Amino acid sequence: MSTNKAPYIVSNLLDALNVITKGRMVTDWNQITSGSNPYVVMKSSNIPGKNVIEIPGLIFGNMDKPITKVGVAMTLTESVIELASALEIELLVVHHPVADAANSGGVPFAHYLPLYNIDVIEIHEAFHGLHPGIAFMHGHQKLHTDINFGGIPGNVLHTGIVLEGIHTASDIISRLDLYTDREIEEGLLAFEQSVRENPDLKETTLANPPKLLSGQMDSKVNNILHFFPHTGFTVNHLTQALDLYPDTDTLIASISRVRKNHPLVKEAEKRGLTFIIGNPHSVEILENGIPLAYGIQLLLPELEVYMLRERVTASLLTSSGQPEIHQYGLDMASQYLVPQGKRERALNQKLTVLN
């Protein structure tokens, strides 16, 4: 742990987040059971035992614990926990809701987080709709936001009008490339591909660039509907929104994405609307994480505030490392995981590439 005297305690940070969220944070556990805090929300796909309750507040830790270093992350994972440990970060503020074991390497928080003196605050729905940054990044001034469109918590819909200097679909896509450092990310990936001698290595953000799915790159843009498909936004919601905002000429879907044959795109084509898919979810650390971190820094200026951003890559199995690790993996699988008859057949048919 840092030897510097801690300027704040955890409750100071929770108070700061309550300022940032306009009082949406849970400060009394009775708010969870009473239903008095509308940002305490159950999320479920109706898979037994896999639902989670979002609780914007201190999920694990001690309100009176001194803190000097805080990390802001989108999603709590074992990689985030381990990096926070290495940096001696005492508290993580994570955007997305956390679940015991699911977000801590398969083990309970109580077994893992105390090893590194890490507390956790989650914020998610309590942070939505507080700033116009995602709209701004996508080239429009937000005029109205509904964070429960169609009565679904978290089904966020923005309406907006394009910013000065934004005239076409191409302008929006170029703006996104600028704000997400696409040129630098491309250079970084190219360097890694060269070092690893793996030209087929892929990275999340670059593999999911902004795209035009309906209309032309020079299509004029003016009145925007901006939504997020993963929140439950459907064609029926689109129809309702277009009835409310009939001057809409451009649709933007971001954070999550749809493909060219998705019903939302087909509806846009039928109505002659421009449809752009913007930033992927992997960029939300910039869209929501950076404003959140600066809010904390402005209110608690003596804290050291870190951004924890995960970078995920993918490659074919046979291109995923040095010969030693491949031999290790093959040995473990062939000797312990796969029965002998099936193992020999597979080795003869496919894995000879390793020889």
Side-chain angles (χ1 to χ4, degrees):
M1 183 185 297
S2 173
T3 57
N4 296 331
K5 183 179 179 181
Y8 306 106
I9 60 175
V10 170
S11 64
N12 297 140
L13 178 55
L14 195 62
D15 289 342
L17 291 172
N18 231 359
V19 172
I20 290 169
T21 64
K22 313 296 190 291
R24 297 176 177 180
M25 303 300 289
V26 167
T27 55
D28 180 344
W29 283 93
N30 290 327
Q31 294 177 317
I32 299 170
T33 56
S34 68
S36 61
N37 187 322
Y39 301 97
V40 175
V41 180
M42 173 72 77
K43 294 292 176 71
S44 177
S45 296
N46 297 315
I47 301 170
K50 295 301 180 182
N51 53 16
V52 66
I53 299 177
E54 294 192 9
I55 305 170
L58 181 64
I59 302 303
F60 187 88
N62 181 352
M63 285 285 196
D64 297 320
K65 188 181 87 169
I67 51 173
T68 60
K69 296 182 180 181
V70 169
V72 173
M74 279 294 105
T75 303
L76 186 65
T77 66
E78 62 270 28
S79 294
V80 167
I81 291 169
E82 290 297 323
L83 182 55
S85 164
L87 298 175
E88 297 185 325
I89 288 171
E90 298 115 342
L91 187 146
L92 289 167
V93 179
V94 294
H95 182 61
H96 297 132
V98 300
D100 212 3
N103 291 95
S104 49
V107 299
F109 293 146
H111 293 169
Y112 197 176
L113 298 178
L115 294 174
Y116 302 144
N117 189 36
I118 294 174
D119 292 3
V120 174
I121 289 174
E122 71 176 40
I123 191 167
H124 203 219
E125 301 293 3
F127 192 69
H128 285 165
L130 296 174
H131 68 86
I134 293 179
F136 177 83
M137 267 197 181
H138 286 79
H140 63 98
Q141 177 185 347
K142 186 179 71 169
L143 300 179
H144 176 74
T145 293
D146 187 335
I147 65 172
N148 299 290
F149 192 74
I152 301 174
N155 193 26
V156 179
L157 174 70
H158 299 313
T159 63
I161 188 167
V162 292
L163 297 171
E164 184 178 352
I166 301 295
H167 304 289
T168 65
S170 177
D171 292 335
I172 292 176
I173 292 173
S174 296
R175 182 181 178 86
L176 292 172
D177 288 344
L178 174 66
Y179 273 90
T180 58
D181 280 339
R182 185 169 186 83
E183 184 176 349
I184 291 176
E185 295 295 332
E186 288 175 340
L188 178 61
L189 180 60
F191 181 73
E192 185 174 1
Q193 289 170 334
S194 174
V195 170
R196 295 186 182 279
E197 298 181 345
N198 181 7
D200 295 322
L201 187 71
K202 306 298 182 185
E203 186 275 328
T204 307
T205 302
L206 294 178
N208 290 297
K211 286 183 180 179
L212 183 69
L213 297 185
S214 175
Q216 305 298 321
M217 291 295 281
D218 61 356
S219 294
K220 299 298 182 182
V221 294
N222 190 50
N223 296 301
I224 309 291
L225 276 181
H226 191 162
F227 53 88
F228 310 91
H230 69 296
T231 63
F233 194 88
T234 66
V235 172
N236 286 338
H237 293 136
L238 177 58
T239 300
Q240 294 172 35
L242 291 173
D243 286 342
L244 291 170
Y245 307 101
D247 292 334
T248 298
D249 54 69
T250 302
L251 308 178
I252 298 177
S254 74
I255 298 187
S256 54
R257 309 164 76 74
V258 296
R259 301 183 188 277
K260 179 70 174 176
N261 61 352
H262 192 277
L264 286 168
V265 181
K266 293 184 180 298
E267 185 68 19
E269 291 173 337
K270 184 172 72 174
R271 292 172 177 261
L273 300 173
T274 299
F275 194 130
I276 298 168
I277 50 173
N279 283 337
H281 215 153
S282 56
V283 178
E284 194 181 5
I285 187 65
L286 305 180
E287 295 174 326
N288 272 325
I290 291 283
L292 174 59
Y294 268 112
I296 293 170
Q297 189 75 87
L298 289 170
L299 290 170
L300 303 175
E302 295 182 60
L303 270 185
E304 293 183 46
V305 181
Y306 289 82
M307 300 299 301
L308 285 79
R309 179 178 182 180
E310 286 198 316
R311 182 174 178 272
V312 180
T313 60
S315 63
L316 288 171
L317 169 61
T318 51
S319 302
S320 296
Q322 295 301 309
E324 291 79 6
I325 197 67
H326 282 289
Q327 191 61 57
Y328 158 80
L330 183 56
D331 288 346
M332 293 301 106
S334 62
Q335 294 177 32
Y336 300 101
L337 304 179
V338 179
Q340 183 174 358
K342 294 183 179 180
R343 175 178 74 224
E344 291 174 352
R345 184 164 60 251
L347 287 173
N348 289 334
Q349 291 177 352
K350 188 170 183 179
L351 295 183
T352 54
V353 69
L354 297 175
N355 296 328

